[in-house]
Amino acid sequence: MSVPLGALAQKQGGVLRVAHRDSPASMSIHEEGTISAVMPMMGVFNNLVMFDPKAKQNTLEGIVPDLATKWTWSEDGKTLTFALREGVKWHDGKPFTAADVKCTFELLAGTAKDNFKVNFRKGWYANVESVSTNGDHEAVVHLRAPQPALLALLSSGFTPVYPCHVSPAEMRRAPVGTGPFKFAEYKPNQSIKVVRNPDYWKKGLPYLDGIEYTIIANRSTAMLSFISGKFDMTFPFEVTVPLVKDIKDGLPSAQCEIAPMNVAANLLMNPVPPFDDIDVRRAVAMTIDRKAFIEIMTQGQGDAGGAMLPTPAGRWGLPDEIVRELPGFDPDVAKSRAAARKIMEAKGYGPAKMIKLKLSSRNLPTYRDAAVILISQLKEIYIDAELQLVETAQWVPKLMRRDYQFGLSQVGNGVDDPDQNYPENYACSGRTYMDYCNKEVDSLIAQQSAERDQEKRKKIAWEIDRKLTNEAVRPMLYYMRGGTCWRPEVKNLSIQVNSIYNSWRMDEVWLER
């Protein structure tokens, strides 16, 4: 086996032991919505391109080759041609070709012979008209309109290339990729295992023999197990700010990093009475004490913002002077709540006529803790909420069925870019879970996507964000900070500050036991 030049200090071998927070519905990244599937499976796959895993912040300028060795845009910005890496094989030995790229886009478009059961990222690629091939090693993406940020979407951990010859059903059960690790085993509610791919096209990688993810739903148990030496690494970003101190107290040698996440706790209001009324939705937004969420959930390290990740971690967030003018962002919470109560009283609600409802939330600690805070704040505007916890495998299906009255969710964006967040979460064709549809917003989404001047594009993105926040569409409670801890034996682990979906290939991590 050849070892890359400059990598002689790295050690081959060893199994990385990771605590996993819950049990994903399947192993198919394209058919799952959260890091619960992406984190363990990203190492099984490759993208066409990816964000530089060593860069702290994802940017359009920081995109590097993966299965594509280079790419070129046509002069009109509507054609993107990829030169593909030669000699790459799928884990079952079949060759990777341009046909696999074409098949992946057909799956994403929903035009394949055998399609996904759930297609979370379909909206990301609505602008892709078709994909053609030129031999085995060139794929050409044809767009309906220019879209400079398409490369950013393709760089997300949510966008691996899938094989033509393996069905979506099989990819859900036992995925086949080209990545540094091969899928080995998934036992729901127990463990996920991947093993080293000895034929990986990056010679000498990965260093690890495998990664074992043990599913422990109880966060306290997982943290204590990490401290005791059962695990080498916590689940990414799952360690809250207060828990980082507890871990460091129990294991002073632990390496911990707290990073801004492109994840926000947010409210989902099913558009049935009374939440079909925009005034009621605004009153809900106005009663939120975001500072309380930030203080309690992140010890003051989180952020308040609109639909896009706030600066400086994010690159598209609204300026503070705009945010302060929007419902629920007035620093004077008492004043804001007084105005919200007047709205609710005008609608006939008050101490003698409370709105009674169930607040649905996913049965994970960060969801549950935020839900308890929210319930106490809703009482300020005559809403009496009862917490309803939903297990992970049932959470997204429940939202898709609109089988809820009021929900506390988390929106995790795979890319810090308007072309990902807006089409997926707010467009008429997206998955808003609230049947939100505003043709004016759709028009602005298309306008910003085609704009090549990034400063002009940012102004349009701000206009969209202002509209969404003003209409109390999916009000953001707070943007989260998350900690990841690992033992000193784990080397070369990279954490990125504005995404939780782009740095878990793990091919250059090694162990020094």
Side-chain angles (χ1 to χ4, degrees):
M1 177 191 305
S2 63
V3 178
L5 187 65
L8 298 179
Q10 288 84 325
K11 293 179 64 175
Q12 294 279 354
V15 174
L16 185 71
R17 304 162 303 169
V18 183
H20 195 296
R21 67 180 186 176
D22 66 354
S23 197
S26 81
M27 295 290 97
S28 176
I29 289 179
H30 282 301
E31 296 186 73
E32 295 299 324
T34 75
I35 191 176
S36 294
V38 175
M39 197 272 175
M41 287 298 104
M42 189 177 177
V44 173
F45 296 100
N46 291 109
N47 294 11
L48 284 170
V49 291
M50 65 185 296
F51 292 110
D52 182 353
K54 293 181 173 60
K56 279 295 183 184
Q57 187 176 48
N58 297 335
T59 66
L60 198 58
E61 297 76 29
I63 292 173
V64 297
D66 205 15
L67 288 175
T69 58
K70 61 180 180 179
W71 51 92
T72 55
W73 286 100
S74 62
E75 188 173 340
D76 65 0
K78 294 173 64 175
T79 303
L80 179 58
T81 301
F82 290 99
L84 303 179
R85 201 172 297 277
E86 300 184 28
V88 176
K89 292 185 177 181
W90 295 99
H91 292 157
D92 58 9
K94 294 185 181 298
F96 159 73
T97 70
D100 296 306
V101 178
K102 178 177 171 64
C103 286
T104 299
F105 274 98
E106 288 172 350
L107 284 166
L108 289 166
T111 60
K113 183 178 179 181
D114 187 6
N115 285 305
F116 295 138
K117 285 176 63 177
V118 181
N119 194 344
F120 283 114
R121 261 67 67 185
K122 183 177 182 179
W124 289 25
Y125 300 106
N127 189 40
V128 176
E129 188 170 49
S130 64
V131 175
S132 60
T133 62
N134 183 15
D136 285 343
H137 304 299
E138 185 174 281
V140 185
V141 180
H142 306 275
L143 304 179
R144 295 180 173 87
Q147 188 181 6
L150 180 69
L151 280 169
L153 304 183
L154 293 172
S155 298
S156 166
F158 272 139
T159 315
V161 178
Y162 271 22
C164 277
H165 63 280
V166 182
S167 71
E170 187 65 14
M171 294 295 282
R172 291 191 288 272
R173 189 188 67 80
V176 175
T178 58
F181 295 97
K182 291 184 175 184
F183 172 81
E185 179 183 79
Y186 174 39
K187 294 181 178 179
N189 298 307
Q190 296 183 50
S191 64
I192 302 168
K193 295 179 181 179
V194 297
V195 297
R196 185 178 188 274
N197 174 14
D199 301 314
Y200 189 42
W201 51 270
K202 288 186 180 180
K203 299 301 181 184
L205 296 179
Y207 299 121
L208 298 169
D209 287 334
I211 309 175
E212 294 183 357
Y213 302 87
T214 301
I215 297 167
I216 300 180
N218 185 289
R219 184 170 56 189
S220 296
T221 302
M223 299 304 127
L224 289 172
S225 297
F226 170 75
I227 292 171
S228 70
K230 183 176 180 180
F231 299 118
D232 301 304
M233 176 182 170
T234 65
F235 194 80
F237 301 99
E238 191 68 8
V239 185
T240 62
V241 176
L243 280 176
V244 169
K245 182 181 183 301
D246 293 344
I247 286 178
K248 293 292 287 184
D249 288 343
L251 185 65
S253 63
Q255 309 295 305
C256 295
E257 186 166 338
I258 299 172
M261 300 161 61
N262 200 352
V263 179
N266 65 101
L267 304 184
L268 300 175
M269 291 177 268
N270 204 344
V272 296
F275 302 118
D276 57 339
D277 186 331
I278 190 171
D279 290 331
V280 173
R281 295 201 305 272
R282 282 187 178 134
V284 170
M286 291 164 65
T287 199
I288 298 167
D289 182 351
R290 289 174 169 82
K291 185 177 180 181
F293 278 99
I294 292 168
E295 290 293 333
I296 296 169
M297 299 297 293
T298 71
Q299 291 192 339
Q301 295 191 45
D303 297 289
M308 294 299 298
L309 178 67
T311 58
R315 302 172 69 237
W316 301 91
L318 285 170
D320 289 343
E321 61 270 20
I322 296 178
V323 173
R324 285 194 294 268
E325 298 172 354
L326 297 170
F329 290 92
D330 190 325
D332 189 340
V333 176
K335 173 185 170 186
S336 186
R337 284 179 172 172
R341 280 191 289 272
K342 286 185 178 180
I343 293 172
M344 297 297 283
E345 288 161 2
K347 302 292 181 181
Y349 301 107
K353 186 183 178 183
M354 303 278 284
I355 298 174
K356 293 186 179 294
L357 54 78
K358 291 186 184 296
L359 173 65
S360 301
S361 194
R362 190 173 170 190
N363 192 15
L364 287 175
T366 53
Y367 287 71
R368 294 195 303 264
D369 295 348
V372 171
I373 299 169
L374 178 63
I375 286 172
S376 68
Q377 294 189 7
L378 290 174
K379 287 182 168 60
E380 297 284 343
I381 55 165
Y382 317 122
I383 296 178
D384 184 11
E386 175 188 349
L387 182 58
Q388 179 188 61
L389 294 174
V390 183
E391 295 306 314
T392 289
Q394 301 303 318
W395 177 237
V396 171
K398 184 179 182 69
L399 297 182
M400 294 178 71
R401 294 194 306 269
R402 310 297 188 267
D403 181 22
Y404 72 96
Q405 294 173 279
F406 197 93
L408 186 147
S409 187
Q410 290 177 9
V411 56
N413 288 308
V415 185
D416 179 33
D417 193 278
D419 268 16
Q420 180 266 302
N421 186 7
Y422 291 155
E424 179 174 345
N425 297 310
Y426 300 100
C428 293
S429 59
R431 56 182 181 101
T432 67
Y433 304 135
M434 299 163 292
D435 299 318
Y436 175 78
C437 181
N438 185 323
K439 294 297 185 182
E440 182 183 359
V441 169
D442 271 20
S443 177
L444 288 168
I445 291 172
Q447 185 181 338
Q448 66 79 31
S449 180
E451 179 56 62
R452 299 192 192 188
D453 184 314
Q454 293 302 292
E455 287 305 311
K456 290 181 180 178
R457 184 178 177 228
K458 183 177 287 188
K459 297 292 177 59
I460 304 170
W462 287 351
E463 185 178 354
I464 297 168
D465 201 338
R466 186 165 45 224
K467 285 180 179 292
L468 295 172
T469 307
N470 187 52
E471 291 183 25
V473 181
R474 204 171 193 155
M476 300 297 149
L477 300 177
Y478 73 105
Y479 278 84
M480 301 167 68
R481 289 287 200 282
T484 307
C485 295
W486 57 96
R487 302 182 73 84
E489 297 87 354
V490 179
K491 305 297 182 181
N492 208 32
L493 186 65
S494 173
I495 306 291
Q496 293 176 325
V497 301
N498 62 354
S499 180
I500 62 173
Y501 301 98
N502 299 321
S503 57
W504 306 112
R505 188 70 56 77
M506 310 283 271
D507 53 356
E508 295 192 37
V509 171
W510 75 91
L511 292 171
E512 288 186 356
R513 295 206 200 277

